[in-house]
């Protein structure tokens, strides 16, 4: 179903990415300080400060006044020249709504989660982001149905990087963060739509 939906959008919009077609890419500072409760995932539990790449976008690419699902993608250096990609989309924060995409008129009106859980040493966890203002967010991790634990904050740069949106491609299946693995079922669920998106970008 996800692959069919992505293919349909790609056919309607062959000259652009099928999902999140246009975005604003720029630098951001991610400061991790860990949380009182340990998740077992090194990236969530360990302190650090990273200069990351952030992309803000609308999932369908509808014009501003129309509600859309908002996305935030982060590219985080993880050492040895490698990086991990974290993708978040607007959802709720409740036990069920953290797994449900929601639309809004303004990007700061809704929290965002990774939607699907990662496999960590302590079990399934999600990451969420809650806006403090137009350019800063608090990051939390939580188990599948448990409370959220604040572990980091993110400050977005105010100046986008010119012409970088077309050249950067985020892929959380290939670029994972330390201690956060994709479940096999999650990979099977997401891979068809990501494959379609990759082919669309290659054709472009």
């Amino acid at each position: 179903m996800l692959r069919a939906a992505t293919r349909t959008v790609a056919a309607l919009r062959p000259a652009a990415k099928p999902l999140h077609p246009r975005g604003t890419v720029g630098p951001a500072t991610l400061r991790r300080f860990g949380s009182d409760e340990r998740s077992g995932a090194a990236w969530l539990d360990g302190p650090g400060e990273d200069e990351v790449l952030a992309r803000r976008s609308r999932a369908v690419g509808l014009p501003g006044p129309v509600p859309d699902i908002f996305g935030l993608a982060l590219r985080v250096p993880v050492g040895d020249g490698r990086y991990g990609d974290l993708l978040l989309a607007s959802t709720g924060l409740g036990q069920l709504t953290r797994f449900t995409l929601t639309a809004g008129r303004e990007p700061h009106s809704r929290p965002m989660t990774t939607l699907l859980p990662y496999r960590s040493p302590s079990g399934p966890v999600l990451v969420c982001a809650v806006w403090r203002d137009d350019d800063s967010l608090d990051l939390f991790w939580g188990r599948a149905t448990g409370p959220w634990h604040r572990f980091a904050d993110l400050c977005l740069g105010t100046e986008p990087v010119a012409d970088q949106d077309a050249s950067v491609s985020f892929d959380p299946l290939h670029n994972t963060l330390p201690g956060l693995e994709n479940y096999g079922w999650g990979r099977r669920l997401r891979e068809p739509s990501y494959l379609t998106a990759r082919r669309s970008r290659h054709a472009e």
Side-chain angles (χ1 to χ4, degrees), residues 142-171:
R143 306 191 194 284
T145 58
W148 295 103
H149 308 280
R150 182 170 176 259
F151 75 94
D153 56 43
L154 178 70
C155 293
L156 301 170
T158 57
E159 295 296 330
V161 179
D163 301 326
Q164 186 144 11
D165 185 38
S167 62
V168 65
S169 177
F170 296 86
D171 192 332

Side-chain angles (χ1 to χ4, degrees), residues 1-94:
M1 290 175 62
L2 286 171
R3 176 167 48 188
T6 308
R7 282 178 174 173
T8 299
V9 176
L12 294 173
R13 199 160 48 200
K17 299 174 185 178
L19 297 175
H20 298 274
R22 293 176 299 276
T24 301
V25 178
T29 301
L30 178 66
R31 185 175 65 93
R32 292 177 291 113
F33 39 76
S35 62
D36 293 337
E37 181 165 345
R38 308 287 287 182
S39 70
W43 188 74
L44 299 178
D45 294 339
E49 184 170 315
D50 298 303
E51 295 302 313
V52 305
L53 194 66
R55 182 180 192 264
R56 291 185 267 186
S57 61
R58 298 167 68 92
V60 183
L62 298 173
V66 181
D68 205 335
I69 297 167
F70 292 92
L72 177 67
L74 302 177
R75 173 154 291 176
V76 184
V78 293
D80 298 326
R82 296 175 54 251
Y83 53 81
D85 290 339
L86 184 73
L87 271 61
L88 303 117
S90 52
T91 64
L93 294 179

Side-chain angles (χ1 to χ4, degrees), residues 7 194-204:
R7 282 178 174 173
Y194 275 87
L195 180 60
T196 299
R198 292 187 203 112
R199 288 173 175 169
S200 176
R201 291 194 298 268
H202 179 71
E204 180 184 355

Side-chain angles (χ1 to χ4, degrees), residues 108-146:
H108 317 105
S109 62
R110 303 294 304 166
M112 294 177 287
T113 71
T114 51
L115 193 65
L116 296 180
Y118 286 99
R119 178 167 53 195
S120 78
S122 64
V125 300
L126 291 92
V127 177
C128 85
V130 178
W131 294 93
R132 288 202 309 262
D133 54 45
D134 290 357
D135 298 308
S136 61
L137 306 94
D138 291 319
L139 270 62
F140 302 77
W141 70 267
R143 306 191 194 284
T145 58

